[in-house]
Amino acid sequence: MHMTTTREATRLGEREPLWTLFRVVCGLSALSWGGLALMAQLEHHYVEREERLSRLAFSDLIALAWMVPGPVGCNVAVQLGHTLRGRAGAWVAGIASVLPFFMLMTLFAIFYRTPLIRAAASETLLNHFSVVLATLIAVTWYKQTRALVRGRLEWSVAVLACIALFFAHSPAAYVVILGSAFASGWVTSPVQKARLEISVGSGDRQLLLWLGVLVVLFAVPLPHDYELALLWPRLAGAGMTLFGGGFSALPVLKTLFVTPAIGVSDNDFTLAFSLSPLSPGPLLNVIPFFGYLIDGWVGALIATVALFVPSGCLVVLAQRHLYQLKTHPRFEHGMRVLRAVTTAFLAVAVLKIGYRVPLQPVYLVTALFSLVCFAKLRLPVYAVYGTVGLACGLWLVYRHIV
């Protein structure tokens, strides 16, 4: 036991080369479908294999990643890089975790704009993929609800959030709902006298101020002439409202992108989210796709930076104050209620996707097939999409021949 502890301490004292950090994180990200898969592979490599971090230290990184907005897997990678090599390591690990799906989703957007792909993406295929997406979100909602929504307060705010989100049509509503949820958890905490004392430097205060400005810019209604001009700062602000995984981002990002001023159609938006599980990375890998549709390669790059960089900066800032945040009961209670509200985003996403799909027996069969694959057989997402796409293609060919 003593020898293991000594060896681990030695490994922790070594400096991870930046190129090695980039190569490892990029390789693991390219083989990770979803943020949870990336976290598992990072833990296996740096905790079990290389012994760079203790299991307890890595669990702290995961816990903090769930507490801040943004993609959880990428947030863990950023923290890992910061732990191993400081600020430079955070940037290197963050870029490495984003690069694989940035390239793949941008390439998909390029080919998506060709006439061949446009013709292949028929309305029937889009509807079937939408059903698969809705089923996947529904299964995710069920799992998250069982894990996050337990007490009477959590259930109450989750139900109220569902009702509010269903009728919400502005970004301000999402900010108000999330802020109200955290405030209700803070106020109703069983421990009322605890004080949150954190010493924040001038640089950190400026960062928090700018992040707050971005959130306000996202929430405030703008004239149509300014929606496109301020799209990327508003996207950065939207990223500060995304808790609970990529599926919860669907209604938020739809409000931002599917407008006459931006030009992303409802079919383009749904297809991007439907196919996002086919690419490595978190479900927020759709961002480069939308960016490319709006402004080519430059748009894909700026959109990716706008969404992923602010949350990465915030999680590094929070990591420096991890102990105070974890041990403060009122803050933790507020986060519990906030996490419960994020399940409402998933429920509303299922309702809105299902509302668009025609109520026909063939789509109900696809829903039942997807439910069995995801909930019982636990098949990979790409296998389900591939099977449904192949079956739909054969059916369309058969109908054309007959």
Side-chain angles (χ1 to χ4, degrees):
M1 180 68 179
H2 175 72
M3 293 180 60
T4 302
T5 304
T6 303
R7 184 179 64 176
E8 181 176 326
T10 303
R11 294 291 291 162
L12 285 171
E14 296 179 7
R15 287 172 59 85
E16 178 85 348
L18 290 178
W19 168 246
T20 302
L21 178 65
F22 176 85
R23 176 175 53 81
V24 171
V25 175
C26 186
L28 295 179
S29 178
L31 299 175
S32 300
W33 274 260
L36 296 178
L38 177 58
M39 288 188 289
Q41 295 212 62
L42 289 174
E43 182 176 10
H44 174 74
H45 183 84
Y46 284 104
V47 175
E48 299 177 6
R49 182 179 174 183
E50 296 294 325
E51 296 183 349
R52 292 283 183 164
L53 280 80
S54 67
R55 195 171 299 277
L56 178 61
F58 193 86
S59 66
D60 286 341
L61 303 185
I62 295 178
L64 184 59
W66 281 107
M67 292 170 64
V68 300
V72 180
C74 294
N75 283 346
V76 170
V78 169
Q79 291 183 85
L80 177 66
H82 186 266
T83 301
L84 296 177
R85 282 299 303 266
R87 184 176 300 178
W91 280 102
V92 168
I95 294 173
S97 66
V98 170
L99 187 60
F101 68 79
F102 167 80
M103 297 297 296
L104 286 176
M105 290 302 288
T106 304
L107 288 174
F108 173 74
I110 294 173
F111 289 105
Y112 172 72
R113 305 187 74 168
T114 61
L116 178 62
I117 300 299
R118 289 277 187 174
S122 65
E123 183 177 357
T124 302
L125 180 62
L126 291 178
N127 287 334
H128 281 285
F129 279 175
S130 296
V131 171
V132 176
L133 175 64
T135 307
L136 179 60
I137 298 176
V139 172
T140 305
W141 170 83
Y142 176 75
K143 293 178 180 179
Q144 289 200 9
T145 301
R146 293 190 63 185
L148 301 178
V149 186
R150 296 178 179 178
R152 181 178 300 178
L153 177 62
E154 285 90 337
W155 275 110
S156 299
V157 296
V159 172
L160 291 175
C162 282
I163 298 173
L165 287 171
F166 188 80
F167 295 100
H169 298 288
S170 68
Y174 306 132
V175 177
V176 171
I177 290 171
L178 293 172
S180 301
F182 180 83
S184 64
W186 179 280
V187 172
T188 59
S189 173
V191 181
Q192 293 291 319
K193 296 183 179 181
R195 297 180 59 185
L196 184 59
E197 298 180 357
I198 298 178
S199 177
V200 180
S202 59
D204 293 344
R205 285 196 297 268
Q206 292 179 4
L207 173 62
L208 292 174
L209 177 62
W210 278 109
L211 294 179
V213 169
L214 293 174
V215 173
V216 172
L217 187 62
F218 166 67
V220 173
L222 296 176
H224 293 303
D225 295 339
Y226 292 93
E227 287 186 2
L228 183 58
L230 297 176
L231 174 61
W232 307 130
R234 298 186 74 213
L235 176 61
M240 292 293 97
T241 69
L242 303 181
F243 292 84
F247 285 134
S248 63
L250 194 148
V252 178
L253 296 180
K254 187 172 185 178
T255 303
L256 193 64
F257 284 111
V258 185
T259 66
I262 304 303
V264 176
S265 69
D266 195 57
N267 281 342
D268 292 342
F269 184 87
T270 302
L271 179 64
F273 263 96
S274 298
L275 298 182
S276 62
L278 301 180
S279 171
L283 289 174
L284 289 173
N285 58 19
V286 296
I287 295 301
F289 178 90
F290 294 139
Y292 187 88
L293 292 184
I294 296 168
D295 196 19
W297 277 97
V298 175
L301 180 61
I302 296 177
T304 305
V305 171
L307 186 74
F308 288 89
V309 169
S311 63
C313 294
L314 182 61
V315 77
V316 170
L317 187 153
Q319 187 182 21
R320 297 201 293 266
H321 308 287
L322 176 61
Y323 180 76
Q324 292 93 332
L325 294 174
K326 286 180 59 180
T327 58
H328 191 270
R330 299 189 75 178
F331 184 88
E332 175 58 27
H333 196 260
M335 291 303 301
R336 279 178 52 193
V337 178
L338 181 62
R339 296 187 194 105
V341 168
T342 60
T343 62
F345 284 81
L346 304 180
V348 172
V350 174
L351 292 175
K352 291 189 175 182
I353 293 175
Y355 180 77
R356 294 181 59 257
V357 178
L359 186 60
Q360 298 177 6
V362 64
Y363 298 123
L364 296 178
V365 172
T366 299
L368 180 60
F369 170 76
S370 303
L371 182 62
V372 172
C373 291
F374 292 136
K376 296 296 183 181
L377 303 180
R378 298 182 179 180
L379 294 179
V381 176
Y382 58 84
V384 180
Y385 273 111
T387 304
V388 171
L390 179 61
C392 183
L394 293 176
W395 171 250
L396 291 176
V397 171
Y398 171 77
R399 289 184 58 185
H400 180 73
I401 295 176
V402 174

